[in-house]
């Protein structure tokens, strides 16, 4: 069965994370996802808090912008989460929004090169290897984690364009796709990922996570119209869903049929009760996917 998650939007103050995390954990929801959007909340600190407050729900961070992080430090942070909460952490690396990267003085000339170098170093470090590499952006000399994860872990990336999707297939263990990805666009994305996987000779599993903008409740249609406009999403079938648990589950199934391993419901920014949205996803939508 395709896993189901929900997003805690960073536009909410961090003190509200606990109630949403607990609601997700209690509802039977598979995953809770966090964002590291500038300049709201740090992804690693919020993930650690959510994991500590909960017992079973997986917590993903999608995504950590690599221009903001040294590869060795990122691996250290990831390893601590994986060792402290085995099997429950999922970290995603990505380009970041380029205007934000420029704003903090971290924008690079070739984001694609940086991401590939970072992904390759990250996968080796988290596998417990000693890494020496001298790339355009990532340079490590004899670096080995003293406390690597105790077993294999995935390193995912976020991707939109064809070049980054192919890179995801070559150098990552999974890909996160943004809200607004229709089933047809998901199939196209998977085909680009597969091109990269074939070029690298990879035959292992590749986890695809897709955000789905969703709303429920009496004013769901109105909130969704505002949210779709704010995200500049076209008014077409499969871009988002507003309605009952059955309608939301139908949209999730369409993405699952197109190749999604995980569908993460993204509430509207003006959702009146984010904890109730997480509970709705786990208690009402998830059972319909079995």
């Amino acid at each position: 069965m395709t896993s189901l998650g929900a997003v805690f939007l960073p536009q909410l103050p961090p003190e509200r994370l606990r109630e949403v995390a607990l609601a997700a954990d209690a509802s039977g929801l598979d995953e809770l996802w966090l964002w590291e959007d500038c300049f709201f909340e740090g992804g690693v600190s919020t993930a650690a808090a959510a994991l500590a407050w909960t017992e079973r729900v997986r917590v993903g961070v999608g995504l950590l912008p690599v221009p903001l992080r040294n590869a060795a430090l990122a691996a250290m942070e990831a390893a601590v989460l994986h060792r402290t909460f085995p099997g429950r952490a999922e970290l995603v690396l990505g380009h970041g929004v380029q205007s934000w990267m420029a704003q903090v003085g971290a924008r690079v000339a070739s984001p694609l090169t940086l991401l590939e170098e970072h992904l390759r170093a990250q996968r080796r470090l988290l596998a417990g290897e000693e890494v020496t590499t001298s790339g355009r952006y990532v340079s490590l000399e004899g670096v080995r984690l003293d406390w690597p994860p105790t077993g294999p872990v995935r390193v995912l990336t976020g991707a939109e364009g064809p070049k980054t999707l192919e890179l995801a297939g070559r150098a990552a263990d999974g890909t996160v796709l943004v809200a607004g990805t229709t089933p047809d666009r998901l199939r196209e994305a998977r085909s680009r990922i597969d091109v990269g996987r074939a070029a690298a000779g990879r035959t292992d599993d590749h986890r695809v996570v897709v955000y789905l903008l969703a709303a429920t409740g009496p004013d769901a249609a109105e909130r969704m119209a505002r949210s779709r406009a704010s995200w500049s999403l076209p008014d077409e079938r499969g871009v988002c869903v507003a309605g009952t648990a059955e309608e939301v589950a139908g949209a999730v199934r369409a993405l699952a049929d197109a190749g999604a391993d995980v569908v993460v419901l993204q509430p509207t920014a003006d959702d009146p009760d984010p904890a109730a949205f997480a509970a709705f996803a786990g208690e009402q939508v998830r059972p319909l996917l079995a």
Side-chain angles (χ1 to χ4, degrees), residues 155-166:
V155 177
L156 280 71
T157 190
E160 287 190 73
K163 290 183 178 179
T164 309
L165 288 164
E166 289 184 22

Side-chain angles (χ1 to χ4, degrees), residues 32-58:
L32 176 68
W33 280 76
L34 313 171
W35 294 353
E36 187 172 76
D37 281 0
C38 294
F39 298 95
F40 292 102
E41 294 153 2
V44 175
S45 55
T46 49
L51 286 161
W53 285 323
T54 56
E55 297 292 334
R56 44 152 299 277
V57 70
R58 290 177 54 80

Side-chain angles (χ1 to χ4, degrees), residues 213-217 220-221 223-224 241-244 248 266-268 271 277 280:
L213 191 59
T216 191
R223 286 190 289 111
M224 183 55 68
V241 60
T244 64
V248 174
Q266 177 183 321
T268 61
D271 190 284
F277 180 85
F280 161 79

Side-chain angles (χ1 to χ4, degrees), residues 244-266:
T244 64
E246 289 77 9
E247 290 170 311
V248 174
V252 172
R253 281 194 293 270
L255 289 170
D257 291 343
D261 299 297
V262 185
V263 177
V264 184
L265 301 182
Q266 177 183 321

